[in-house]
């Protein structure tokens, strides 16, 4: 049957999920083509092959977060005896930072291209869409159309940032698509949205020395453990990030000096006005399914969010699959897209049967003091099992490296969400502190191996680390005892 079509698999979208599936499929002998095309942001920002994570997501975000942490470290270093002349006047060179970040991104774009060539995946730089269930058309940069046929099609087009429907938003606002290559320093910045992208962007901007304000419509980090979310927000506030709660922007106006006048409304309906140099919208992302002409293939989307509700990555049309951010109610994370893409390719071309497990996926919010977690939040655990069946162990801790520079450790906190009965299975782990992602990653494996609270307690720690605090925790919330460290 394969001969009936030019390709065994055509992948729409060369990002985390699409590329992982394409490479895995070719390794297993399939003939694969990948369509990837980036529509410039309303501000004109565009980028190369590799998708969101590499170009305008995880990678540049982590680099800017690291730049902010280093600024902090410069000051701490003096407490350890480093002699840094004029340490008080240390400041960031935005252009040097964005150049360094973009150089790295471009090097990854290049490596990605070479890898595809080596693996014999055909890369087509065109905006793909369905002409019929097995025929894909792609409009290339020069306007010409490339048409191919495929036995199977994988939709991995990801998403792009939303803009609010208010005057001036699209003209004068920016999003995470623009911030990592912004040609001028962002200056005083309003970040609209308190999801993880909003917190991370405001966090690194503040750490880099820019005045940052977060406008919160309702709560911080919807979907995450709210106690932990509020701890990282408090920490950000202590570090100088401003928060405007229960507020929404109404309009953006460009002023003669280039600054942006933001009209916003508070919870009582009062209108306020403030001036910013940059307004960054981080109000969620929309799946890029509109351009795909899915109706030509008969693929359904969820009407409310235009995402695809696939079962084991298979859409309602059996030979059309989907992975990554485009999926309905699945974590929008790079390793999730990659893992699902690889497993799907192995099932399609390697006779494998393993299905993607979307539960207990660990994640980290790279806020100035990071928050890493895996499994259920306290609220979710209580909602599922009932308060009487859940035990919450918690502790504040003091990282050794905080003592000499006398860093504020008052929000270094962790908690373990466990069942109370029989084996005391661990349902969730939450950690606020430095390197939270590094701390949580290994524990995520432990949870996959059915970690119980007694097993956690029988684990010998590595001293002196912050991760060992998980092996020392023994105070329950129920006991009402003070979880602050005694020394
Ligand atoms: P994408 O990587 O978005 O790739 C889709 C590709 O398809 C894009 O190149 C797009 O231009 C292209 N495309 C779209 N439509 C078409 C079409 N019709 N034809 C051809 N090509 C098309 N995740 C983490 O795990 N950790 C993090 O720290 C993290 N930080 C993030 C920070 C930010 C600021 C953002 C925005 C995201 C972050 N994410 C993070 C999320 C992560 O980037 C995404 O989950 C991941 O990139 C999704 O992969 P994907 O394959 O679904 O789509
Ligand atoms: P999220 O996590 O969906 O968060 C969006 C935030 O923006 C959230 O705080 C929303 O508040 C807020 N929001 C949404 N719409 C508006 C409008 N119209 N006005 C003001 N505020 C608004 O999106 P992110 O962009 O942070 O990240 C999306 C994913 O990409 C994330 O899961 C990562 O994995 C990668 P709400 O709580 O709804 O009141």
């Amino acid at each position: 049957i394969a001969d009936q079509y030019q390709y065994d698999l055509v992948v729409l979208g060369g990002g985390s999920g699409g590329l992982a599936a394409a490479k895995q499929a070719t390794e297993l002998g399939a003939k694969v083509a990948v369509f990837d095309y980036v529509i410039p942001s309303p501000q004109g920002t565009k980028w190369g092959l590799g998708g969101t994570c590499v170009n305008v997501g995880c990678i540049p975000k982590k680099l800017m977060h690291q730049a902010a942490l280093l600024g902090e470290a410069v000051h701490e270093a003096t407490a350890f005896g480093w002699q840094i002349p004029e340490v008080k006047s240390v400041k960031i060179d935005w252009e040097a930072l964005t150049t360094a970040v973009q150089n790295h991104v471009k090097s990854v774009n290049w490596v990605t291209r070479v890898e595809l060539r080596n693996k014999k995946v055909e890369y087509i730089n065109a905006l793909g869409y369905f002409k019929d269930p097995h025929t894909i058309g792609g409009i290339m940069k020069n306007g010409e159309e490339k048409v191919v046929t495929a036995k199977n099609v994988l939709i991995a087009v990801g998403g792009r940032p939303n803009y609010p429907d208010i005057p001036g938003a699209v003209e004068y606002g920016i999003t995470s698509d623009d911030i990592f290559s912004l040609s001028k320093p962002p200056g005083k910045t309003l970040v609209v949205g308190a999801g993880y992208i909003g917190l991370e962007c405001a966090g690194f901007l503040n750490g880099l020395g820019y005045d940052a304000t977060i406008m919160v419509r309702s709560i911080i980090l919807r979907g995450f453990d709210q106690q932990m979310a509020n701890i990282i927000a408090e920490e950000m506030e202590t570090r100088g990030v401003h928060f405007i709660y229960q507020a929404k922007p109404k309009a953006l106006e460009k002023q003669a000096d280039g600054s942006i006048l933001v009209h916003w409304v508070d919870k009582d309906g009062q209108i306020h006005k403030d001036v910013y140099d940059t307004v960054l919208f981080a109000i969620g992302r929309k799946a890029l399914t509109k351009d795909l002409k899915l109706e030509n293939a008969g693929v359904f989307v969820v009407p409310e969010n235009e995402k695809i509700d696939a079962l084991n990555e298979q859409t309602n049309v059996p030979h059309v699959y989907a992975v990554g951010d485009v999926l309905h109610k699945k974590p929008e994370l790079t390793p999730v897209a990659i893992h699902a893409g690889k497993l799907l390719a192995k099932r399609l071309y390697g006779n494998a049967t393993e299905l993607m497990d979307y539960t207990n996926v660990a994640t980290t919010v790279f806020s100035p003091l990071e928050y890493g977690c895996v499994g259920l939040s306290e609220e979710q655990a209580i909602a599922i099992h009932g308060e009487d069946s859940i035990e919450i162990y918690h502790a504040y801790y003091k990282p050794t490296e905080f003592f000499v520079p006398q860093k504020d450790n008052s929000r270094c906190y962790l908690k373990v969400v466990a069942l109370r009965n029989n084996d005391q299975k661990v349902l969730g782990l939450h950690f606020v502190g430095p390197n939270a992602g590094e701390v949580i990653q290994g524990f995520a494996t432990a949870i996959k191996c059915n970690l119980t609270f007694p097993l956690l307690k029988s684990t010998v720690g590595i001293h002196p680390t912050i991760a060992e605090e998980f092996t020392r925790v023994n105070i329950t919330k129920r006991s009402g005892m003070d979880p602050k460290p005694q020394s």
Side-chain angles (χ1 to χ4, degrees), residues 353-432:
T353 52
E354 189 183 342
L355 297 174
M356 175 67 188
D357 178 5
Y358 289 93
T359 60
N360 291 330
V361 172
T363 188
T364 290
V365 182
F366 292 92
S367 40
L369 196 60
E370 299 166 10
Y371 164 38
C373 61
V374 57
L376 299 184
S377 65
E378 187 172 341
E379 300 86 332
Q380 287 166 336
I382 289 172
I384 296 170
H385 299 281
E387 196 149 13
D388 291 345
S389 305
I390 296 296
E391 199 75 88
I392 308 291
Y393 297 89
H394 64 159
Y396 285 92
Y397 64 92
K398 296 180 175 177
T400 309
E401 49 276 42
F402 277 32
F403 285 106
V404 171
Q406 295 180 12
K407 281 180 73 165
D408 180 4
N409 57 20
S410 61
R411 290 181 197 86
C412 290
Y413 177 76
L414 59 85
K415 73 181 178 187
V416 177
V417 180
L419 282 176
R420 273 183 101 191
N421 65 11
N422 311 330
D423 62 347
Q424 295 173 264
K425 191 175 156 72
V426 174
L427 305 174
L429 293 169
H430 301 266
F431 184 90
V432 169

Side-chain angles (χ1 to χ4, degrees), residues 12-18 35-39 47-48 50-59 61 126-129 156-160 176-177 180 196-197 200-201 285 288 291-292 323-326 331-335 337 363-364 366:
L12 295 172
S16 309
F35 283 72
D36 189 64
Y37 190 87
V38 178
I39 298 171
W47 51 89
T52 303
C53 169
V54 167
N55 293 286
V56 287
C58 331
I59 301 300
K61 176 279 296 293
L127 190 68
Y129 71 98
V157 291
R160 291 291 286 269
S176 54
D177 282 355
F180 305 111
Y196 102 46
I197 296 176
E200 290 181 339
C201 290
R285 297 169 63 81
L288 283 182
D291 294 326
L292 293 175
V323 293
D325 284 7
V326 81
E332 293 181 13
L333 294 168
T334 273
T363 188
T364 290
F366 292 92

Side-chain angles (χ1 to χ4, degrees), residues 256-277:
D257 65 356
S259 61
I260 302 163
L261 180 68
V262 179
H263 302 247
W264 57 275
V265 56
D266 67 19
K267 64 176 190 315
D268 303 318
Q270 296 271 5
I271 302 283
H272 304 256
K273 286 183 201 173
D274 281 312
V275 176
Y276 294 92
D277 299 308

Side-chain angles (χ1 to χ4, degrees), residues 343-356:
L343 289 179
L344 174 66
K346 285 182 185 170
R347 292 200 301 276
L348 289 176
Y349 305 107
N351 294 317
T353 52
E354 189 183 342
L355 297 174
M356 175 67 188

Side-chain angles (χ1 to χ4, degrees), residues 404-475:
V404 171
Q406 295 180 12
K407 281 180 73 165
D408 180 4
N409 57 20
S410 61
R411 290 181 197 86
C412 290
Y413 177 76
L414 59 85
K415 73 181 178 187
V416 177
V417 180
L419 282 176
R420 273 183 101 191
N421 65 11
N422 311 330
D423 62 347
Q424 295 173 264
K425 191 175 156 72
V426 174
L427 305 174
L429 293 169
H430 301 266
F431 184 90
V432 169
N435 303 311
E438 314 297 342
V439 171
I440 285 291
Q441 182 67 86
F443 286 110
T445 305
I447 287 211
K448 279 252 168 214
C449 299
N450 290 318
L451 178 67
T452 62
F453 190 70
L455 277 173
L456 188 62
K457 292 299 296 173
S458 71
T459 305
V460 178
I462 304 172
H463 191 65
T465 64
I466 47 176
E468 72 173 320
E469 302 295 340
F470 269 125
T471 67
R472 290 159 43 114
V473 62
N474 61 5
I475 292 175

